């Protein structure tokens, strides 16, 4: 029997993978090896902050908190007014804990309010894009509950950096790029455009209005805010409070004291909606994550207030296929991966939202293996450009209350086709800017057994700084919808959390920690993490190899940012993908584009139970970096 060219290629790829030498490929970045601890995050200086905490005797939670604080101070696609989401493995209880420190919509944030402003969605920038700050509370609750050190110890690197640190080119260039937006907000302008003359041009002797790469960048207002937290902790300790109580006294000062009042005042001064009560009523939730079992490995994600369960859904669908037989990045594999992700993302776009607000999301049905088997049957030989949400309710013994909306839902929203050509270079560049909006990631592990995975975000440049706090406000409101027909579970309301893209990940094997992994990049996050996981589990790659692996990107989902567009069939591939694979994918209905590096800035730690050591990884996509000992 003659084999088709595509089938022969898949067989050859599978044969090579099966017979290859056990030696590993040379990677752009070297793998990290540690025996005592590993710290990986989005910036080298922030990784050093984590290492400092480990060297002071802190555990993985202490180090993670210090790294979140440092990356926030460095504006690594996040700021102090953003949000923090984490998974923590507690070696004493042998349980994975979810940390929900996502802010909520402020008073007055309703669909009617935004429509009155002529908006189809909450805006991308400015005070009307901001939920309440979550990152300070997330850091303090994590530290109080699971850390060992004081808040003063953990914030020391960030305070030192707020006093002044040599700014890296990436952030300095972003400030320059966004100078027009930053000029709209007085405190942002004063903080970032430090070399701007009265005419709006650089002062004599400077080539830019913002800081130059390598220049000492100072944030005195932020430093003062962080010192207030440390001072409050010290007062509480002096008054006889224990370590946890003292940290929570600092928490109260931020959310119920003078910092909260100044933040709300600064927001309202710029036309924002935040009140002191919005901050006082907000709280961090410690909750149970969701999980699925993929071929004996337990994979954990935060639940449906973020997009995390979509990766679990995709794994459940992919479990119905023999991926190894298809071969790594063969046309069949890429097609199956693309379709599985689209099925999961369609459900994400319709069913995910804040579980503390009605209606109740059908997460049990969405994560059922039986539902996944039914969804897998929808994968045909060509791309389906209108992959729609399914009906998970029967798989949890219920009836869908939104059948009418479900039947009317389309991948591309009605009306989008009348917009300018979505395939033009200008349109694609703008789409990519919002589609890949991201965060940083923080991964830590220690010898005691603590494992932490975090994706803090929000308050990225161009950030609106609220009053004299030095705190850049979040932009997460744009992930809400105003029309229940888009998603009945994610309609904006005061006190509600938007469905975010942020997605820390953790996996256990034989009941023990196996992988902690995360990535930045908005709607590409679950895509990159799914492929990283499959690279390790299905194709036997080391974490560093898997982090640098050639990925694909689908845009056939509702963008979580900007105007929430979708571009069916668009696929980004690594330029290393061979011609015969490209041709077969084109025949399957894909419109292809290529890049030299499509892995995304994945960061990860693998716990090597056999040797009692740790493998750390940071992809070469961005400036992510790690330190191990």
């Amino acid at each position: 029997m003659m084999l088709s060219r595509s089938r022969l290629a898949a067989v050859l790829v599978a044969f090579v993978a099966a017979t290859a030498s056990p030696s590993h490929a040379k990677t752009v970045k070297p793998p990290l090896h540690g025996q005592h601890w590993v710290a990986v995050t989005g910036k080298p200086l922030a990784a050093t902050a984590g290492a400092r905490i480990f060297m002071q005797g802190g555990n993985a939670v202490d180090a993670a908190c210090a790294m979140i604080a440092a990356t926030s101070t460095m504006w690594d696609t996040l700021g102090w007014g953003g949000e923090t989401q984490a998974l923590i493995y507690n070696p004493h209880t042998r349980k994975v804990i979810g940390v929900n420190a996502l802010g909520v919509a402020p008073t007055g944030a309703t669909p009617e309010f935004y429509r009155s402003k002529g908006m189809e969605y909450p805006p991308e920038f400015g005070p009307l894009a901001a939920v309440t700050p979550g990152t300070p509370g997330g850091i303090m609750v994590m530290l109080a509950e699971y850390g060992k050190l004081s808040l003063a110890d953990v914030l020391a690197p960030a305070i030192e950096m707020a006093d002044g640190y040599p700014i890296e080119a990436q952030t300095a260039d972003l400030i320059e790029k966004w100078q027009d937006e930053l000029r709209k907000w007085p405190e942002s302008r004063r903080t970032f455009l430090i070399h701007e003359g009265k005419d709006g041009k650089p002062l004599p002797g400077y080539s830019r209005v913002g800081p130059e790469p390598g220049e000492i960048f100072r944030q005195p207002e932020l430093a003062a805010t962080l010192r207030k937290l440390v001072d409050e902790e010290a007062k509480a300790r002096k008054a006889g409070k224990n370590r946890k109580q003292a940290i929570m006294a600092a928490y109260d000062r931020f959310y119920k004291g003078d910092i909260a009042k100044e933040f709300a005042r600064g927001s309202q001064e710029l036309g924002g909606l935040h009140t002191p009560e919005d901050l006082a009523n907000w709280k961090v939730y410690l909750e149970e994550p969701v999980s699925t079992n993929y071929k004996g490995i337990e994979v954990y994600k935060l639940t449906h207030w973020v997009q995390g369960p979509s990766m679990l859904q995709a794994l459940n669908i992919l479990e119905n296929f023999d991926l190894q037989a298809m071969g790594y990045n063969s046309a069949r594999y890429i097609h199956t991966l693309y379709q599985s992700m689209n099925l999961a993302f369609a459900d994400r776009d319709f069913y995910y939202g804040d579980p503390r607000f009605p209606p109740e999301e059908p997460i049990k049905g969405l994560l059922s293996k039986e539902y996944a088997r039914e969804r897998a049957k929808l994968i045909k030989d060509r791309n389906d450009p209108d992959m729609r949400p399914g009906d998970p309710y029967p798989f949890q013994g219920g009836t869908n209350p939104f059948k009418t909306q479900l039947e009317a839902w389309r991948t591309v929203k009605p009306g989008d086709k009348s917009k300018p050509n979505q395939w033009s270079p200008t349109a694609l560049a703008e789409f990519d800017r919002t589609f890949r909006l991201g965060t940083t990631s923080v991964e830590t592990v220690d010898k005691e057994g603590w494992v932490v995975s975090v994706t803090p975000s929000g308050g990225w440049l161009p950030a609106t700084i609220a009053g004299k706090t030095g705190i850049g406000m979040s932009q997460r409101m744009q992930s809400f919808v105003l029309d229940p027909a888009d998603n009945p579970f994610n309609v904006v309301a005061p006190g509600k959390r938007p469905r975010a893209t942020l997605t820390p990940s953790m996996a256990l094997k034989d009941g023990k920690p196996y992988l902690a992994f995360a990535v930045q990049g908005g709607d590409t996050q679950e895509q990159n993490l799914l492929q990283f996981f499959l690279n390790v589990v299905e194709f036997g790659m080391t974490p560093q190899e898997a982090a640098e692996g050639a990925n694909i990107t689908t845009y056939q989902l509702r963008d979580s940012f900007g105007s929430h567009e979708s571009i069916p069939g668009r696929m980004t591939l690594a330029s290393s993908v061979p011609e015969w694979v490209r041709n077969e994918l084109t025949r399957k209905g894909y419109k292809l584009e290529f890049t030299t590096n499509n892995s995304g800035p994945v960061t990860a730690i693998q716990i090597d139970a056999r040797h009692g050591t740790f493998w750390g990884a940071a992809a070469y996509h961005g400036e992510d970096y790690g330190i191990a000992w």
Side-chain angles (χ1 to χ4, degrees), residues 547-566:
E548 295 184 10
N551 281 5
I552 71 165
T553 303
T554 171
Y555 306 83
Q556 190 169 307
L557 67 163
R558 294 280 182 89
D559 186 353
S560 297
F561 305 94
S563 57
H564 296 242
E565 292 177 311
S566 173

Side-chain angles (χ1 to χ4, degrees), residues 52 73 155-165 217 223 226-227:
R52 282 177 56 177
T73 303
L155 291 188
I159 292 173
E160 186 176 343
M161 295 174 75
D163 285 337
Y165 76 97
F217 177 54
L226 299 181
R227 283 192 170 93

Side-chain angles (χ1 to χ4, degrees), residues 164-186:
Y165 76 97
I167 193 168
E168 73 284 9
Q170 186 183 65
T171 303
D173 290 346
L174 276 175
I175 291 170
E176 206 66 14
K177 173 184 176 180
W178 289 111
Q179 59 180 282
D180 290 342
E181 192 69 30
L182 292 167
R183 285 191 182 99
K184 296 177 182 178
W185 321 112

Side-chain angles (χ1 to χ4, degrees), residues 124-125 177-178 427-438 460 476 478-479 501 521-525 555 558-567 570:
E124 291 184 62
F125 306 122
K177 173 184 176 180
W178 289 111
L428 289 177
E430 176 61 17
F431 186 85
D432 279 348
R433 183 186 68 74
T434 60
F435 190 82
R436 298 177 188 275
L437 279 176
W460 53 72
R476 193 58 57 178
Q478 65 185 293
S479 292
T501 54
D523 287 297
T524 66
Q525 288 181 47
Y555 306 83
R558 294 280 182 89
D559 186 353
S560 297
F561 305 94
S563 57
H564 296 242
E565 292 177 311
S566 173
I567 305 181
R570 181 187 176 195

Side-chain angles (χ1 to χ4, degrees), residues 82-381:
E83 43 272 356
T84 284
Q85 289 64 234
L87 291 173
I88 299 173
Y89 177 79
N90 184 334
H92 306 297
T93 62
R94 299 181 182 179
K95 297 288 185 183
V96 180
I97 307 120
V99 179
N100 180 342
L102 174 61
V104 299
T107 298
T110 63
E112 293 74 25
F113 171 82
Y114 285 104
R115 287 197 187 102
S116 74
K117 301 285 185 181
M119 298 176 184
E120 189 178 355
Y121 298 97
E124 291 184 62
F125 306 122
L128 294 180
V131 293
T132 54
T135 287
I139 289 174
M140 288 185 273
V141 169
M142 288 168 60
L143 182 64
E145 294 289 339
Y146 308 112
K148 294 167 61 178
L149 303 183
S150 68
L151 184 63
D153 291 331
V154 166
L155 291 188
I159 292 173
E160 186 176 343
M161 295 174 75
D163 285 337
Y165 76 97
I167 193 168
E168 73 284 9
Q170 186 183 65
T171 303
D173 290 346
L174 276 175
I175 291 170
E176 206 66 14
K177 173 184 176 180
W178 289 111
Q179 59 180 282
D180 290 342
E181 192 69 30
L182 292 167
R183 285 191 182 99
K184 296 177 182 178
W185 321 112
E187 295 299 333
S188 299
R189 186 174 193 171
R190 189 167 60 83
T191 299
F192 295 110
L193 306 186
I194 57 177
H195 301 314
E196 183 185 33
K198 292 182 180 179
D199 59 357
K201 297 180 180 179
L203 292 168
Y206 293 97
S207 61
R208 54 174 72 197
V209 293
E212 298 177 341
E215 180 179 358
I216 301 299
F217 177 54
R218 307 181 194 280
Q219 303 171 77
E221 286 83 8
L222 176 60
T225 293
L226 299 181
R227 283 192 170 93
K228 287 178 181 179
L229 300 178
V230 170
D231 290 345
E232 200 64 33
E233 178 191 46
K235 289 178 187 176
R237 290 293 282 178
K238 191 174 181 180
K241 303 293 185 181
N242 62 29
R243 175 186 164 278
K244 180 176 178 179
Q245 291 169 334
I247 294 171
M248 295 312 293
Y251 176 104
D252 285 343
R253 181 166 185 181
F254 188 96
Y255 288 97
K256 299 176 183 179
D258 56 334
I259 300 172
K261 291 181 175 62
E262 177 58 16
F263 182 94
R265 186 203 67 77
S267 171
Q268 291 176 16
E269 182 179 55
L270 300 174
L273 301 173
H274 299 84
T275 68
E277 292 74 25
D278 291 328
L279 276 74
N281 292 334
W282 179 84
K283 64 178 292 186
V284 176
Y285 290 103
L286 301 176
E287 57 190 32
E288 186 174 347
V290 290
S291 66
T292 196
N293 187 297
Y294 183 81
K295 299 186 176 181
I297 298 172
E298 290 291 331
V299 186
Y300 288 84
K301 289 283 191 173
L302 296 168
T303 196
H304 48 273
W305 52 275
V306 291
Q307 67 173 333
S310 64
M311 179 180 152
L312 305 184
Q313 286 189 248
L315 285 172
N316 286 344
I317 294 168
L318 289 167
E319 206 169 29
N320 294 280
F321 300 90
D322 188 346
L323 302 181
Q324 288 184 16
M326 294 179 184
Y328 173 66
N329 276 359
S330 67
R332 285 185 63 209
Y333 175 77
I334 290 171
H335 173 69
T336 305
L337 190 64
Y338 190 101
Q339 298 301 305
S340 298
M341 291 194 297
N342 288 350
L343 286 163
F345 284 132
D347 283 340
R348 179 203 76 167
D349 292 339
F350 188 80
Y351 289 111
Y352 289 21
D354 188 343
R356 290 178 172 81
F357 273 68
E360 182 180 356
E361 295 81 357
I363 191 64
K364 183 178 179 182
L366 289 168
L367 291 180
S368 77
K369 298 285 189 178
E370 293 78 11
Y371 178 64
R373 279 194 285 272
E374 290 302 308
R375 295 290 272 167
K377 294 175 183 177
L378 297 175
I379 298 178
K380 307 301 181 185
D381 190 52

